[in-house]
Amino acid sequence: MVKSTSIAQEITNTIQKTIGVESAVLHEPEFSGNEWKYLKECLDSGFVSSVGKFVDRFEKELSDYTGSKYAVAVVNGTSALHIALKLVGVEAGDEVILPSLSFVATANAITYAGGIPHFADSESKHLGLDPFALRDYLKTASEIKNGKCINKFSGNVIRAIVPMHTFGHPVMLDELISVAHDYRLSLVEDSAESLGSLYSGKHTGTFGAMGILSFNGNKTITTGGGGAILTQDENFAKLAKHLTTTAKIPHRYEYVHDQIGYNYRMPNLNAALGCAQLEQLPNFLESKRILFEKYKSNFQKLKGIQIVSEPERCKSNYWLQTILIDKEVEHMRDEILNVTNDNGVMTRPCWRLLHTLAPFLKSPKMDLPIATSLEARLINIPSSPKLIGSEI
Ligand SMILES: *Cc1c(COP(=O)(O)O)cnc(C)c1O
């Protein structure tokens, strides 16, 4: 048997060799463009908050970049998901299918909309929802009544499905769209991690009724905190804007609100940062791809370890580079995490599966063998675009 320390040490060495430096964090934002300039414009103009030209500009540029007909900028990705789920009709007591292997925000947003997270398994090529396992499961666990998908066990309506493009790798969208269609489920894409990722040449987040993006500090581009709702539907776009701006009816001076709205609008300061970041996105993506190629060629020499690469017909943004350790070495995962982190190389396991977290212990779920295996074997390694700046 191979000694665990040697594998952990080998991984540490491989990462250090690839990035050409001894220590690195998982993902660091880079501000080498017009950030200062646009922020100064914001401050000089006095428009730092919810009114200002950068919000409109950022929305326009996001829509141009993603090919989404509409983009609505909001305070973060979680609020984007909350509003998207409300708009597709998630109501109190409705169940919403999501992968257990996701960040907690996906499940939280479902509960904000009054829904009940219903956890589904993943598959190991795309790291996202497995459409085939889901179809098999729904065949026995649900029935269609009056055009609605009903969970046979709970009696609740299963209203929507929220696939997530894990670490920037697009899910099997064609197959999921077909499941959503057959089971009358609205599709909302959690594309928080996949800005710049394409499926069949089309940007992720533009396939479902709605999609969302996140611009948190650790994402591919950042606005400090921020998010966006993507949709092709004019009515959804209008309602998304309305709901995220306190549902105020436009008027010169009257405060009339026609429903309970939210204060979710992205401030102008954050949008200014976003405009500067978006200009650099193509460079970030190129660097991340180069970093992936380097990791790939170096990790090929290690037994028992694979680097996750983009699935067929997909272009991944390689937001977080990911290694997958073989089943035979999965008992060494924590040792690998300890040794890398002790040596200045920041690594992280993937999230604890959501169905095992305290708030979701009673949530409905299907069998989750693949997600469970992936959780035991996935490790994220340093992924910042600047890591290719330092050649060895
Ligand atoms: C980052 C992220 C979110 C939420 O984004 P915030 O902007 O942090 O609210 C949602 N889902 C996934 C999968 C994420 O990684």
Side-chain angles (χ1 to χ4, degrees):
M1 197 168 126
V2 200
K3 260 190 75 191
S4 56
T5 38
S6 75
I7 282 221
Q9 196 56 56
E10 275 185 83
I11 290 176
T12 309
N13 295 345
T14 302
I15 295 172
Q16 286 172 332
K17 178 177 167 226
T18 308
I19 62 181
V21 284
E22 293 230 319
S23 61
V25 300
L26 208 59
H27 203 281
E28 216 175 352
E30 192 172 315
F31 304 114
S32 43
N34 285 319
E35 284 86 356
W36 281 110
K37 180 165 173 250
Y38 295 166
L39 284 174
K40 184 168 187 314
E41 271 179 53
C42 252
L43 294 173
D44 291 344
S45 74
F47 289 106
V48 294
S49 192
S50 54
V51 179
K53 65 171 190 179
F54 281 110
V55 177
D56 295 338
R57 177 170 154 189
F58 188 48
E59 288 177 340
K60 169 81 174 59
E61 288 175 358
L62 277 176
S63 126
D64 289 346
Y65 180 81
T66 58
S68 178
K69 231 167 164 180
Y70 304 96
V72 177
V74 293
V75 285
N76 54 48
T78 313
S79 62
L81 265 176
H82 174 194
I83 297 302
L85 288 162
K86 262 186 90 80
L87 288 181
V88 300
V90 173
E91 290 173 359
D94 287 349
E95 294 179 14
V96 178
I97 293 167
L98 76 161
S100 185
L101 199 163
S102 184
F103 179 54
V104 71
T106 322
N108 283 344
I110 291 169
T111 66
Y112 300 165
I116 300 165
H118 188 147
F119 297 108
D121 203 13
S122 300
E123 50 75 52
S124 38
K125 276 249 150 36
H126 300 242
L127 308 180
L129 269 187
D130 182 341
F132 302 107
L134 180 62
R135 183 180 283 283
D136 282 349
Y137 170 69
L138 287 174
K139 212 177 277 171
T140 54
S142 75
E143 58 191 344
I144 306 290
K145 261 196 214 157
N146 304 324
K148 287 176 186 160
C149 181
I150 309 290
N151 179 337
K152 276 195 208 166
F153 304 103
S154 65
N156 295 327
V157 176
I158 307 180
R159 185 77 63 181
I161 172 171
V162 188
M164 194 275 287
H165 307 291
T166 313
F167 310 135
H169 300 296
V171 296
M172 300 171 82
L173 274 163
D174 283 339
E175 294 82 356
L176 282 171
I177 288 167
S178 148
V179 173
H181 175 264
D182 294 348
Y183 285 89
R184 319 288 199 274
L185 308 170
S186 297
L187 186 84
V188 173
E189 291 175 74
D190 183 344
S191 27
E193 306 182 353
S194 64
L195 179 64
S197 299
L198 310 180
Y199 178 87
S200 287
K202 213 174 131 194
H203 201 283
T204 48
T206 64
F207 289 79
M210 313 197 83
I212 70 101
L213 298 170
S214 166
F215 311 112
N216 191 25
N218 62 349
K219 295 279 165 40
T220 302
I221 68 165
T222 185
T223 59
I229 298 169
L230 304 179
T231 182
Q232 315 314 308
D233 181 303
E234 187 183 357
N235 195 39
F236 276 157
K238 280 188 178 149
L239 284 169
K241 188 58 137 187
H242 188 58
L243 273 183
T244 54
T245 52
T246 69
K248 182 177 182 293
I249 311 271
H251 190 280
R252 281 178 69 190
Y253 46 79
E254 293 281 11
Y255 291 95
V256 181
H257 307 262
D258 63 354
Q259 55 181 307
I260 294 182
Y262 300 85
N263 180 14
Y264 280 175
R265 187 174 166 83
M266 176 183 279
N268 203 42
L269 266 179
N270 301 73
L273 201 53
C275 289
Q277 286 271 288
L278 209 45
E279 291 169 353
Q280 298 159 82
L281 178 58
N283 289 336
F284 293 165
L285 293 176
E286 199 184 307
S287 298
K288 288 163 97 50
R289 184 163 290 272
I290 294 170
L291 181 60
F292 163 74
E293 293 296 343
K294 287 184 169 187
Y295 272 136
K296 186 177 164 198
S297 84
N298 288 333
F299 271 110
Q300 258 161 13
K301 297 161 202 155
L302 286 195
K303 278 240 281 286
I305 316 280
Q306 291 164 57
I307 182 128
V308 177
S309 47
E310 67 195 353
E312 264 173 61
R313 287 196 297 155
C314 297
K315 188 160 182 178
S316 299
N317 64 2
Y318 286 108
W319 170 51
L320 284 189
Q321 312 280 351
T322 308
I323 56 173
L324 197 54
I325 57 179
D326 285 356
K327 198 147 184 34
E328 294 67 46
V329 280
E330 89 181 28
H331 60 285
M332 298 172 191
R333 188 196 80 163
D334 288 359
E335 176 136 19
I336 294 168
L337 290 166
N338 283 321
V339 171
T340 45
N341 283 291
D342 286 349
N343 284 281
V345 172
M346 185 165 161
T347 58
R348 287 287 179 267
C350 76
W351 314 278
R352 280 285 171 89
L353 294 182
L354 298 178
H355 74 281
T356 68
L357 300 182
F360 307 116
L361 287 174
K362 292 195 176 128
S363 288
K365 59 177 185 289
M366 61 185 271
D367 288 339
L368 301 157
I370 307 298
T372 305
S373 166
L374 287 171
E375 183 200 28
R377 299 186 296 123
L378 281 178
I379 297 177
N380 292 127
I381 60 178
S383 308
S384 308
K386 74 168 192 187
L387 289 174
I388 60 141
S390 37
E391 278 298 331
I392 15 168

